[in-house]
Amino acid sequence: MSKDTDKKVRVRFAPSPTGGLHLGGVRTVLFNYLFAKSQGGDLILRIEDTDQTRFVPGAEEYIVDCLHWCGLVPDESPQKGGDYGPYRQSERKERYRQYAEQLVLDGFAYYAFDTPEELDEQRKLVPNFRYSHENRDRLKNSLNLPVDEVDALLKAGVPHVVRIKMPVGETVGFTDMIRGFVSFDTSLVDDKVLLKADGMPTYHLAVVVDDYQMKITHAFRGEEWLPSAPVHVLLWEYLGWRSVMPEWAHLPLILKPDGNGKLSKRDGDRLGFPVYAMNWTDPKTGELTKGFRELGFLPEAFVNLLALLGWNDGSEQEIFSLQELIDRFSIQRISKAGAKFDFEKAKWFNHEWIKRSDLSELAPYLREVLAKHDVLDVKDGYLEQVLSLVKERMTLLPDFWEQAGFFFKAPTTYDIESIKKKWSTEKTDFFIDIISKMEGLEPWRSEELEHFYKLAIQASGLKMGELMLPFRIMLVGGKFGPHVFDIAALLGKEESIARMKRGLEAILA
Ligand code: GLU
């Protein structure tokens, strides 16, 4: 894939630390990661924090935690360092001005002295005002002002920005790895700011300088960045670096479930599913946005479901480990069309991953669920047996408590309304009798218990169905749970009998 096959593949994930990480952002890092790892390359995490007005404390740490949770650990990052640091753009500030100035000297950019008030005035006067070839000749910039006036303004330190001078009527294009050749009419693109009045570069300048200096070979980013691509391509060209410009892949959007537009955080709130990878609390408003992790998704499932939003390996296979994804990943199989997000399908992936995971993988999560209910000190052996009985019934990790909480805490309430109506003294006698017989039953195993219980029902002349449900309710409190004799076997003789006695009391009360 790389133009120069000897060159090590280097990709980057370049988020702006402005809040929680949308699942689309995680898919972007995932595709970068899968491509890099499939080529023996490196993933670089670069924090794009040049817009100080949008900086949100805690957002960078959140991103780093999120990548760790997903197992997409960068090879170079602000935390880890590397040969191409610093990895935060705000710490690279000094590097950008020289390039902006070089562009001005070479005639590809210009100084603009228009004040924010003057620009506001233009916006009022001209509908859809954009600073571009259509009006730059009459605005306050170094293209129009006499050279000595420009020098004087610069010397006097009058605030100014540097803008790219977009050519008129040219076509600029590049070959996108997903979309093929993409081209743009430069007349339609405005003269973007490259360097701001505070000396900070804008995203457009910083992304090009950093991708160059960090020797990025390939870049996967969201489709929403496609309109910026002509500016970037021209900058690569104007700075004399076009031959080493990374190969781009603009990933298809993740769409709302009905396919109507990009999936936003608000859609998640509206439809009741998470859109962020992990819980995010806005430090200003204190607003909590729920994430997949806290809802009870396994990272393996989350990564798996994201990989399939816009990619497949051409077979029917849907469950892939990260290593399998690396092995099977190919750009040719990324679709150009947006991928609809389906939360039911997302849950299906989690269910499948829970089923496939073993105790050692699930134990930390299960213990966390149990601790929330003040259940501590559970032995691994017991946890494993409980898990084997309820695994198939779990979709999200907290389901473990709904499905299996009774293995750790005896029921305190009983769902007995329906059985109470049909209760009879014969049933009471049956339970008193079987409880006393169970005291001597050996061995206390599921199969033996089932055999014994069913024989007792036959001997009583009562109906099978009418005696199974009460038994279950006595043990678990409700009409749910796995095979009832498996439950009794695992609870043990003493505990099962104690629960039967309490349950019977509740029915008779
Ligand atoms: N800083 C941009 C973002 O927040 C990065 C876009 C790119 O990858 O070039 O998504």
Side-chain angles (χ1 to χ4, degrees), residues 12 14-16 48 203 207 221 225:
R12 87 295 194 283
S16 299
E48 302 211 323
Y203 159 68
V207 76
R221 61 182 179 186
W225 296 103

Side-chain angles (χ1 to χ4, degrees), residues 486-500:
D486 287 348
I487 298 174
L490 191 50
L491 285 173
K493 188 196 282 187
E494 204 182 314
E495 180 64 19
S496 299
I497 289 176
R499 289 188 185 193
M500 289 173 81

Side-chain angles (χ1 to χ4, degrees), residues 178 227 479 498:
I178 298 173
K479 301 168 190 169

Side-chain angles (χ1 to χ4, degrees), residues 18 67 191 212 253 284 342 354 481 488 503:
T18 53
L67 299 188
D191 289 356
Y212 171 72
L253 295 177
K284 273 208 205 105
D342 174 351
I354 290 178

